[in-house]
Amino acid sequence: MAVVAAAAWAGGDDRRIVVETTVPAALAGAALVLAALAALALLLRRSLDRAARSARAAADAAAQAEHRRFLARLDHELKNPITAIRAAVAATGDPEGPAAAPALRAQLRTIDTQPDRLSRLVGDLRKLAELQTIDLERARVDLGALLDDVVEAVAAAYARTVSVALPAAPWPLPAVPGDPDLLFVALYNVAANAAKYSEAEDLIEVRGSEQAGSVVLEIADTGRGIPPADQPVVFEDLARGANARDRPGSGLGLALARTIVARHGGDITLVSREGQGTRVRVSLPAHESHA
């Protein structure tokens, strides 16, 4: 007869449960072999988990690096065509001159605006790529004051009123650590989308709350909403809803917002009903987060 002690780990807190019993020697040997196999299986599973996490991290890093290289190539390749278009327009003379036919003037004005549009698009793409790797400023950001600036900017650009409801009792929202300029860009892009894709009589609201160590902002509107088929991709580069083609835009506003929020350790999601409106939820940690 032999005394066999079987040990098992309880949960993930390194505590062990040990059970001892008296069994025949043959069974004791078998039990020891099974225990050794179980231990090896546990070690193998943990090793595979670590390898899978490392592989995913490496794949993500490679994809981001390739994305940045693509944007750099795009920037380089578009510079020459943009310069050529501008030179060609300039060589045609004054499109507003008396010798120019009305149709020609209209065509030249249209052509003349496209290089500027392409330049802005390339600049935004470059910013998006840089945001994924640049070091961020870390300051205490008062979201109430920041939202005042966002509301003022939306009013100036779109002549729209944005109502803001933030808690004052029993205490105001805590500050969040981050880059105030970039957080302004993220929140402005979301609020500007609400203004752009809604009408003058529609409502735009910003609500704030504190939830489990995070500050949550909701930017909601009663505008046209986003078609269901487009909602899964609205945060991707250059994505635009099928019902947004009548308004100017590059499809980068929400992509920039997503990247900025992610670099601050936060999360951004949305829900939308076509014809009723959209609610974008931005969650930012109210404590230091290293991105």
Side-chain angles (χ1 to χ4, degrees):
M1 303 295 286
V3 176
V4 175
W9 277 265
D13 56 4
D14 293 329
R15 290 179 300 166
R16 294 193 303 166
I17 300 173
V18 180
V19 178
E20 293 186 355
T21 184
T22 301
V23 295
L27 290 179
L32 290 174
V33 171
L34 290 174
L37 290 174
L40 287 173
L42 179 60
L43 290 173
L44 178 61
R45 187 183 68 183
R46 289 179 176 175
S47 178
L48 290 174
D49 287 344
R50 284 194 296 269
R53 287 195 297 269
S54 297
R56 285 194 297 269
D60 289 344
Q64 290 179 4
E66 179 58 30
H67 183 56
R68 290 192 295 273
R69 285 193 293 270
F70 165 75
L71 293 178
R73 290 195 302 271
L74 181 64
D75 182 19
H76 177 74
E77 294 297 331
L78 284 178
K79 282 179 181 177
N80 288 338
I82 289 172
T83 302
I85 292 172
R86 284 177 171 154
V89 172
T92 62
D94 182 7
E96 302 298 336
L104 176 60
R105 288 200 299 267
Q107 290 172 358
L108 288 174
R109 279 196 300 269
T110 299
I111 295 171
D112 195 33
T113 61
Q114 297 312 303
D116 291 335
R117 182 172 180 268
L118 284 171
S119 293
R120 289 194 299 271
L121 176 60
V122 172
D124 286 342
L125 286 168
R126 192 186 308 115
K127 284 185 220 172
L128 186 59
E130 291 170 352
L131 279 173
Q132 296 171 358
T133 56
I134 61 171
D135 292 332
L136 302 186
E137 178 185 345
R138 293 294 178 179
R140 288 178 57 84
V141 181
D142 180 347
L143 289 178
L146 191 68
L147 285 170
D148 287 342
D149 293 339
V150 169
V151 168
E152 183 178 341
V154 171
Y158 297 95
R160 297 293 300 279
T161 299
V162 180
S163 65
V164 179
L166 302 180
W171 47 75
L173 290 178
V176 300
D179 187 310
D181 293 330
L182 290 180
L183 288 175
F184 171 86
V185 170
L187 296 177
Y188 173 79
N189 282 349
V190 176
N193 265 13
K196 187 188 301 184
Y197 300 112
S198 63
E199 305 304 325
E201 64 273 14
D202 287 319
L203 300 175
I204 305 174
E205 299 178 350
V206 178
R207 301 181 287 269
S209 62
E210 184 180 0
Q211 300 178 17
S214 294
V215 174
V216 176
L217 298 176
E218 291 185 341
I219 299 95
D221 64 74
T222 57
R224 63 179 63 180
I226 303 169
D230 297 324
Q231 292 179 29
V233 298
V234 291
F235 290 106
E236 295 182 5
D237 304 358
L238 306 176
R240 301 196 72 198
N243 63 348
R245 310 297 180 182
D246 61 323
R247 304 290 166 92
S250 64
L252 288 173
L254 289 180
L256 281 167
R258 178 196 61 181
T259 300
I260 291 169
V261 170
R263 286 298 313 276
H264 284 79
D267 185 50
I268 181 169
T269 57
L270 65 75
V271 292
S272 185
R273 295 179 184 174
E274 191 172 8
Q276 291 185 264
T278 301
R279 182 175 69 242
V280 178
R281 184 181 187 273
V282 177
S283 176
L284 295 165
H287 52 80
E288 190 60 47
S289 175
H290 300 285

